[in-house]
mmCIF file of all heavy atoms in Angstrom:
data_model
loop_
_atom_site.group_PDB
_atom_site.id
_atom_site.type_symbol
_atom_site.label_atom_id
_atom_site.label_comp_id
_atom_site.label_asym_id
_atom_site.label_seq_id
_atom_site.Cartn_x
_atom_site.Cartn_y
_atom_site.Cartn_z
ATOM 1 N N LEU B 255 -94.396 95.797 97.034
ATOM 2 C CA LEU B 255 -93.315 95.696 98.006
ATOM 3 C C LEU B 255 -92.498 96.976 98.053
ATOM 4 O O LEU B 255 -92.163 97.482 99.130
ATOM 5 C CB LEU B 255 -92.417 94.506 97.666
ATOM 6 C CG LEU B 255 -91.200 94.284 98.571
ATOM 7 C CD1 LEU B 255 -91.648 94.044 100.006
ATOM 8 C CD2 LEU B 255 -90.373 93.107 98.059
ATOM 9 N N LYS B 256 -92.171 97.528 96.880
ATOM 10 C CA LYS B 256 -91.400 98.772 96.821
ATOM 11 C C LYS B 256 -92.153 99.909 97.500
ATOM 12 O O LYS B 256 -91.561 100.708 98.237
ATOM 13 C CB LYS B 256 -91.114 99.127 95.361
ATOM 14 C CG LYS B 256 -90.267 100.373 95.185
ATOM 15 C CD LYS B 256 -89.981 100.639 93.710
ATOM 16 C CE LYS B 256 -89.143 101.895 93.534
ATOM 17 N NZ LYS B 256 -88.875 102.169 92.097
ATOM 18 N N ASP B 257 -93.452 99.975 97.280
ATOM 19 C CA ASP B 257 -94.259 101.014 97.918
ATOM 20 C C ASP B 257 -94.286 100.835 99.425
ATOM 21 O O ASP B 257 -94.216 101.804 100.179
ATOM 22 C CB ASP B 257 -95.681 100.984 97.356
ATOM 23 C CG ASP B 257 -96.559 102.066 97.964
ATOM 24 O OD1 ASP B 257 -96.233 103.261 97.789
ATOM 25 O OD2 ASP B 257 -97.550 101.729 98.637
ATOM 26 N N GLY B 258 -94.376 99.584 99.891
ATOM 27 C CA GLY B 258 -94.379 99.329 101.326
ATOM 28 C C GLY B 258 -93.093 99.769 101.989
ATOM 29 O O GLY B 258 -93.096 100.416 103.043
ATOM 30 N N ILE B 259 -91.953 99.431 101.380
ATOM 31 C CA ILE B 259 -90.660 99.849 101.924
ATOM 32 C C ILE B 259 -90.549 101.369 101.926
ATOM 33 O O ILE B 259 -90.027 101.972 102.872
ATOM 34 C CB ILE B 259 -89.510 99.218 101.116
ATOM 35 C CG1 ILE B 259 -89.518 97.696 101.264
ATOM 36 C CG2 ILE B 259 -88.168 99.797 101.551
ATOM 37 C CD1 ILE B 259 -89.329 97.209 102.680
ATOM 38 N N ALA B 260 -91.055 102.003 100.883
ATOM 39 C CA ALA B 260 -91.027 103.470 100.824
ATOM 40 C C ALA B 260 -91.831 104.063 101.981
ATOM 41 O O ALA B 260 -91.446 105.102 102.541
ATOM 42 C CB ALA B 260 -91.578 103.953 99.484
ATOM 43 N N GLN B 261 -92.928 103.433 102.343
ATOM 44 C CA GLN B 261 -93.723 103.925 103.463
ATOM 45 C C GLN B 261 -92.966 103.781 104.781
ATOM 46 O O GLN B 261 -92.999 104.680 105.631
ATOM 47 C CB GLN B 261 -95.053 103.188 103.508
ATOM 48 C CG GLN B 261 -95.964 103.525 102.340
ATOM 49 C CD GLN B 261 -97.290 102.792 102.400
ATOM 50 O OE1 GLN B 261 -97.850 102.615 103.462
ATOM 51 N NE2 GLN B 261 -97.785 102.365 101.253
ATOM 52 N N LEU B 262 -92.270 102.669 104.969
ATOM 53 C CA LEU B 262 -91.445 102.512 106.168
ATOM 54 C C LEU B 262 -90.349 103.564 106.214
ATOM 55 O O LEU B 262 -90.078 104.152 107.275
ATOM 56 C CB LEU B 262 -90.825 101.115 106.209
ATOM 57 C CG LEU B 262 -91.709 99.948 106.624
ATOM 58 C CD1 LEU B 262 -90.900 98.664 106.610
ATOM 59 C CD2 LEU B 262 -92.321 100.182 107.999
ATOM 60 N N GLU B 263 -89.718 103.810 105.092
ATOM 61 C CA GLU B 263 -88.663 104.827 105.033
ATOM 62 C C GLU B 263 -89.221 106.197 105.400
ATOM 63 O O GLU B 263 -88.564 106.978 106.103
ATOM 64 C CB GLU B 263 -88.044 104.857 103.636
ATOM 65 C CG GLU B 263 -87.234 103.620 103.301
ATOM 66 C CD GLU B 263 -86.755 103.601 101.863
ATOM 67 O OE1 GLU B 263 -87.322 104.376 101.051
ATOM 68 O OE2 GLU B 263 -85.841 102.821 101.542
ATOM 69 N N HIS B 264 -90.422 106.489 104.908
ATOM 70 C CA HIS B 264 -91.064 107.766 105.221
ATOM 71 C C HIS B 264 -91.325 107.901 106.720
ATOM 72 O O HIS B 264 -91.064 108.952 107.320
ATOM 73 C CB HIS B 264 -92.376 107.891 104.445
ATOM 74 C CG HIS B 264 -93.224 109.050 104.856
ATOM 75 N ND1 HIS B 264 -92.977 110.338 104.457
ATOM 76 C CD2 HIS B 264 -94.322 109.117 105.667
ATOM 77 C CE1 HIS B 264 -93.871 111.156 104.988
ATOM 78 N NE2 HIS B 264 -94.702 110.433 105.713
ATOM 79 N N LEU B 265 -91.834 106.848 107.335
ATOM 80 C CA LEU B 265 -92.138 106.893 108.765
ATOM 81 C C LEU B 265 -90.863 107.068 109.585
ATOM 82 O O LEU B 265 -90.826 107.869 110.532
ATOM 83 C CB LEU B 265 -92.879 105.623 109.181
ATOM 84 C CG LEU B 265 -94.273 105.438 108.574
ATOM 85 C CD1 LEU B 265 -94.812 104.051 108.884
ATOM 86 C CD2 LEU B 265 -95.243 106.503 109.085
ATOM 87 N N LEU B 266 -89.806 106.350 109.232
ATOM 88 C CA LEU B 266 -88.544 106.473 109.964
ATOM 89 C C LEU B 266 -87.913 107.847 109.772
ATOM 90 O O LEU B 266 -87.434 108.464 110.734
ATOM 91 C CB LEU B 266 -87.569 105.392 109.490
ATOM 92 C CG LEU B 266 -87.853 103.964 109.955
ATOM 93 C CD1 LEU B 266 -87.068 102.970 109.123
ATOM 94 C CD2 LEU B 266 -87.519 103.801 111.439
ATOM 95 N N LYS B 267 -87.915 108.336 108.540
ATOM 96 C CA LYS B 267 -87.318 109.631 108.244
ATOM 97 C C LYS B 267 -87.981 110.748 109.034
ATOM 98 O O LYS B 267 -87.303 111.679 109.512
ATOM 99 C CB LYS B 267 -87.417 109.923 106.748
ATOM 100 C CG LYS B 267 -86.889 111.287 106.333
ATOM 101 C CD LYS B 267 -87.080 111.522 104.843
ATOM 102 C CE LYS B 267 -86.624 112.913 104.436
ATOM 103 N NZ LYS B 267 -86.842 113.150 102.979
ATOM 104 N N ASN B 268 -89.294 110.666 109.187
ATOM 105 C CA ASN B 268 -90.036 111.722 109.881
ATOM 106 C C ASN B 268 -90.323 111.401 111.341
ATOM 107 O O ASN B 268 -91.089 112.103 111.986
ATOM 108 C CB ASN B 268 -91.350 111.981 109.133
ATOM 109 C CG ASN B 268 -91.125 112.603 107.779
ATOM 110 O OD1 ASN B 268 -90.828 113.788 107.664
ATOM 111 N ND2 ASN B 268 -91.243 111.792 106.726
ATOM 112 N N ARG B 269 -89.710 110.316 111.835
ATOM 113 C CA ARG B 269 -89.797 109.918 113.238
ATOM 114 C C ARG B 269 -91.251 109.713 113.668
ATOM 115 O O ARG B 269 -91.692 110.199 114.709
ATOM 116 C CB ARG B 269 -89.084 110.929 114.139
ATOM 117 C CG ARG B 269 -87.671 111.267 113.695
ATOM 118 C CD ARG B 269 -86.895 111.957 114.782
ATOM 119 N NE ARG B 269 -86.561 111.008 115.841
ATOM 120 C CZ ARG B 269 -86.066 111.369 117.043
ATOM 121 N NH1 ARG B 269 -85.892 112.642 117.316
ATOM 122 N NH2 ARG B 269 -85.787 110.453 117.938
ATOM 123 N N LEU B 270 -91.973 108.966 112.872
ATOM 124 C CA LEU B 270 -93.387 108.701 113.103
ATOM 125 C C LEU B 270 -93.588 107.274 113.608
ATOM 126 O O LEU B 270 -92.661 106.466 113.628
ATOM 127 C CB LEU B 270 -94.176 108.938 111.813
ATOM 128 C CG LEU B 270 -94.043 110.344 111.231
ATOM 129 C CD1 LEU B 270 -94.685 110.430 109.859
ATOM 130 C CD2 LEU B 270 -94.643 111.382 112.175
ATOM 131 N N VAL B 271 -94.810 106.983 114.007
ATOM 132 C CA VAL B 271 -95.124 105.691 114.605
ATOM 133 C C VAL B 271 -95.240 104.610 113.529
ATOM 134 O O VAL B 271 -95.918 104.795 112.517
ATOM 135 C CB VAL B 271 -96.439 105.775 115.396
ATOM 136 C CG1 VAL B 271 -96.827 104.404 115.954
ATOM 137 C CG2 VAL B 271 -96.332 106.797 116.518
ATOM 138 N N ILE B 272 -94.585 103.485 113.762
ATOM 139 C CA ILE B 272 -94.751 102.301 112.918
ATOM 140 C C ILE B 272 -95.590 101.303 113.720
ATOM 141 O O ILE B 272 -95.085 100.590 114.581
ATOM 142 C CB ILE B 272 -93.403 101.685 112.515
ATOM 143 C CG1 ILE B 272 -92.578 102.691 111.725
ATOM 144 C CG2 ILE B 272 -93.615 100.407 111.702
ATOM 145 C CD1 ILE B 272 -91.170 102.231 111.393
#
Side-chain angles (χ1 to χ4, degrees):
L255 178 60
K256 182 178 179 181
D257 181 62
I259 295 299
Q261 292 180 38
L262 283 180
E263 291 174 343
H264 170 78
L265 294 171
L266 286 164
K267 177 183 177 181
N268 292 284
R269 310 195 72 191
L270 302 172
V271 176
I272 299 174

